[in-house]
Amino acid sequence: MMQALEQHLIDVRRSLHREPELSYEEFKTTDKLRTWLAKAHISVLDLPLPTGLIAQVGQSEGPVVAIRCDIDALPIEEQTGLPFASGIPGKMHACGHDFHTAVMLGAAMLLKAREAGLPGSVKILFQPAEETGHGAESVLASGGLDDVAAIFGLHNSPELPTGTFGTRTGPFTAGVDRFEISVEGIGAHAATPENGVDAIVTAAQIITTLQTIVSRQCGARETVVLSVTRINGGHTWNVLPERVELEGTVRTYNEEIRASMPEKMTRIIEGIAGAAGAKARLHWAPGPPATINDGVWADFSKEIAGQAGYEVHDIPPQMGGEDFALYLQQIPGAFVNIGTGPAYALHHPRFDVDEAALLPAARYFALLAERALVQLKEQA
């Protein structure tokens, strides 16, 4: 049985990998999931979700736990050369969400096989649009998780060898915010800069001065990253442009610091621009907050991982982002990493996972959900 299930999960993962879909476009992916779940006689909740879904296994009486994966892909041209590589130009499962989806489908099938003995029910969440940082919002708004007492999610980790597991209590991933800065100067010939206001020099001063927020306005023990990642200005070699655009991101685990960043940045941006005779404006695009694992459930997830045969690690916090954080603001739970072997980094066009990690991860999440139900039942 397990050999057949493992092959099925490999086939599922490869089917998803061949036909990646971007955030909010996961219609074919959702249809495939409905088909696979129906064949396994697993019910799907009727919810107002255009893409993605929540399946349910278990008893109508008793506690409810949820396990979650994400299903969307990235706008990346695949360069793996795999026989099941993406057939959609410019789209790829470069973050392993195909792996996540296959894992949770396998967990759902294993839970279905022992449904009669479950002391409650498990909701299996196949979430859309994680890459936007806002997909979890639509799931929470649907009401599909209103009765959930504990929730667990995963991400594959190319930094961890296959057979290893990692999580931690407290901050797991950082809050992720994006910003854009527009700098308006006065164009002029490069030979006569005194006739204009140099938007490029102004933007350069803004970039360097923004770094003093981290070094001089945040505590030395705080973890804060402010990165300018895009500069766009000018069209030719001998003209000072009127406009320069900057874009970047801020990452931190501290919600108080996160909330203060727009004001701190605006002071610097407007002050430097004003001193130069230019104008500048900040546009702030908030993303998901920091993922904060509940200590009890993080320890519980590590205990079950050890029982499932994983080599368990207490890993350091990560500066990447994850909208699973939104669930943990409302429902206690834990986010974990499953090792998928040495590989190219997440979001790399040659990224791949070790498929030998599929079945063990499916078995782990089925066991985790079942044991969590038992614990919640005993506490009731």
Side-chain angles (χ1 to χ4, degrees), residues 12 146 168 351:
V12 163
D146 287 354
R168 71 186 315 276
F351 171 80

Side-chain angles (χ1 to χ4, degrees), residues 56-66 118-123 147 369 373:
Q56 187 162 5
V57 174
Q59 311 303 317
S60 57
E61 299 294 326
V64 182
V65 302
L118 295 177
S121 64
V122 180
K123 291 185 173 181
D147 57 351
L373 286 177

Side-chain angles (χ1 to χ4, degrees), residues 171-373:
F172 191 103
T173 66
V176 176
D177 300 308
R178 181 176 64 86
F179 62 83
E180 295 177 356
I181 301 168
S182 62
V183 181
E184 301 281 351
I186 298 175
H189 195 287
T192 56
E194 70 276 11
N195 293 332
V197 174
D198 194 332
I200 287 180
V201 168
T202 304
Q205 291 176 329
I206 288 172
I207 291 169
T208 55
T209 307
L210 284 175
Q211 297 306 315
T212 65
I213 295 176
V214 175
S215 66
R216 290 296 177 267
Q217 298 185 47
C218 298
R221 293 184 178 86
E222 297 290 347
T223 303
V224 186
V225 173
L226 191 161
S227 295
V228 176
T229 56
R230 181 178 66 86
I231 306 173
N232 185 31
H235 300 286
T236 188
W237 67 279
N238 61 349
V239 176
L240 300 178
E242 293 184 351
R243 180 183 176 89
V244 174
E245 295 177 348
L246 309 175
E247 188 174 20
T249 184
V250 174
R251 311 287 174 108
T252 181
Y253 309 118
N254 186 315
E255 192 62 28
E256 184 177 344
I257 290 176
R258 183 183 181 216
S260 73
M261 290 301 286
E263 181 183 353
K264 288 183 169 70
M265 291 175 67
T266 296
R267 263 200 321 267
I268 288 172
I269 291 163
E270 293 183 350
I272 289 175
K279 295 180 181 179
R281 181 175 62 87
L282 172 71
H283 172 70
W284 185 261
T291 301
I292 309 296
N293 277 347
D294 177 86
V296 171
W297 289 119
D299 288 344
F300 183 82
S301 69
K302 287 191 287 187
E303 178 184 349
I304 302 303
Q307 294 174 10
Y310 279 109
E311 179 184 318
V312 178
H313 296 272
D314 192 9
I315 58 177
Q318 305 165 9
M319 293 308 289
E322 172 58 62
D323 75 353
F324 190 80
L326 295 170
Y327 302 125
L328 292 180
Q329 285 187 328
Q330 300 188 27
I331 307 166
F335 194 69
V336 308
N337 276 171
I338 300 291
T340 50
Y344 287 92
L346 301 174
H347 295 209
H348 192 281
R350 294 186 181 180
F351 171 80
D352 193 19
V353 298
D354 182 357
E355 292 176 331
L358 279 167
L359 181 60
R363 296 177 71 171
Y364 166 71
F365 273 96
L367 180 63
L368 176 67
E370 184 176 19
R371 295 287 177 82
L373 286 177

Side-chain angles (χ1 to χ4, degrees), residues 21-49:
E21 295 178 298
L22 303 183
S23 300
Y24 302 115
E25 299 176 2
E26 313 98 326
F27 295 102
K28 185 174 287 189
T29 300
T30 302
D31 288 342
K32 287 181 180 182
L33 285 166
R34 288 184 181 276
T35 298
W36 290 322
L37 290 164
K39 286 182 179 178
H41 307 290
I42 297 172
S43 63
V44 174
L45 301 183
D46 183 15
L47 296 169
L49 293 173

Side-chain angles (χ1 to χ4, degrees), residues 96-169:
H97 293 187
D98 52 341
F99 174 87
H100 302 167
T101 304
V103 165
M104 289 308 184
L105 179 66
M109 295 172 70
L110 290 167
L111 287 163
K112 183 66 178 180
R114 48 185 188 260
E115 183 174 37
L118 295 177
S121 64
V122 180
K123 291 185 173 181
I124 305 95
L125 166 56
F126 298 88
Q127 183 203 300
E130 187 278 331
E131 294 294 350
T132 69
H134 298 285
E137 294 173 359
S138 61
V139 174
L140 289 166
S142 76
L145 301 180
D146 287 354
D147 57 351
V148 171
I151 188 167
F152 304 93
L154 86 154
H155 208 291
N156 74 91
S157 175
E159 290 83 21
L160 293 175
T162 302
T164 59
F165 170 100
T167 192
R168 71 186 315 276
T169 293

